[in-house]
Amino acid sequence: MTQTLAPARRPARQLLAASVGNAVEWYDWYAYTFLATYIAGQIFPKSSGNSLVPLLSTFAVFAVGFFMRPVGGLLMGAVADRHGRRAALTVTILLMGGSSLLVGLTPTYAAAGVLAPVVLVAARLLQGLSVGGEFAASTTFLVESAGPGRRGLFSSFQYVSTTIGQLAASGIAAALVSGLGERQMDGWGWRVPFLVGAVLSLVGFWIRRGAEETLQHTPDRADGPRPGLFDALRRHPRESLLICGITAGGTIAYYTWTSYLPTYAELNAGVDKADALLAGTLSLGFFALLQPLGGLLSDRYGRKPLLLFFGVGFALLSVPLLRSIGDSFGSLLLVQCAGMVLLTGFTSISAAVNAEIFPARVRAAGIGFPYSLTVALFGGTAPYVGTLFKDVGHPGLFPWYVSVLCLVSAAVYLRLPESAHKELER
């Protein structure tokens, strides 16, 4: 059965369907990060010898969720390649809603003992499965919905919608921290964003039901049976490794700057918790505005210049930027915004770059597994590694860790063939 791409008749509607669901997915995912310090004190027992143990445990669970993402990328990617992108997008949004509800209802360690972290781990495993599948399906869906010469622009909405989800999570977290006392936040306030996320997932599900499928099946069997679970890895091993090299630097920079930096500033520079959350929120807004500009530039001038701008820029500037964070709100905001400019060279076009590597038949699974595996190894562990460096007395090593990974990816970008002006492979 041959599979073909059907041009979208309503591209604006396609953008909305992908973006709304993606925003809800990532709102749920990032609410956990922004409220990590409150979750730590309620779900994990405190160590009398080390106050960082609950926070380290919370970030370890954050990383565990990431290690389900490759499974989600493989399974949901296969669903998207075999049964269509819309079917996979519907499943992922429902999984995320259920896991968000489970986080919101997780009992405290004081009430349930060891059951509390067990429930939290189960919820994060479900979230990881959902998010891994979401990226695989929504990446292919967005890029396949784009008209000629617009793949970079459509690609940029992957991170526009992701950032909207982060902004919502950050904004609600900041409002709760400012409006509630520490005792209320510890008691029940941290649960509110996750219960809201469960409701928002139903909204995303409803909107995605009206999306137009971009992958169609034709009656002839010239292309053989529908792709198997490991067809992309088996038939395209070089392309799979290429996805890993493209992603390694981008994911460590992305999760450091958009998720971990407020906590990093609190631990290493003494920035006030509320100031750190506010700086993160403002810089995310700035980041979202930059994405379409990056996508448009890549459609006109190519993907490689933007990728090299990101890779070389972060390789050279990660250490001085992270070391320059002072104990003030202004210092943190400036560092975050500077990093967002560099980061746009990767985030605005990563969906297009990835989609342009694989043929449509195995595109979703081909992207989903190697991308999510790399994110799990380097992005999901970023908060844990950064906090661990602080715990062992060497916080200055973390900026160098970021810099080296970005240098490795920059070397990959240098040898990457330009794909911006080629037709998307069918």
Side-chain angles (χ1 to χ4, degrees), residues 209-222:
R209 289 184 63 191
E212 181 182 343
E213 181 56 63
T214 61
L215 186 67
Q216 304 294 328
H217 303 284
T218 57
D220 67 274
R221 303 184 60 84

Side-chain angles (χ1 to χ4, degrees), residues 1-5 73-74 76-83 85 136-137 139-140 144 215 217 223-237 239-240 243 354-370 425-426:
M1 182 175 287
T2 301
Q3 296 168 309
T4 60
L5 296 182
L74 186 63
M76 291 298 102
V79 169
D81 288 333
R82 291 173 63 87
H83 303 290
R85 319 311 191 199
T139 292
T140 54
E144 290 171 358
L215 186 67
H217 303 284
D223 198 37
R226 291 180 178 181
L229 191 61
F230 298 102
D231 271 14
L233 288 171
R234 189 162 45 85
R235 298 187 181 187
H236 304 275
E239 289 81 356
S240 298
I243 294 286
N354 291 339
E356 288 161 355
I357 290 175
F358 284 95
R361 184 176 183 273
V362 293
R363 181 168 290 136
I367 294 170
F369 181 73
E425 188 176 350
R426 300 319 195 216

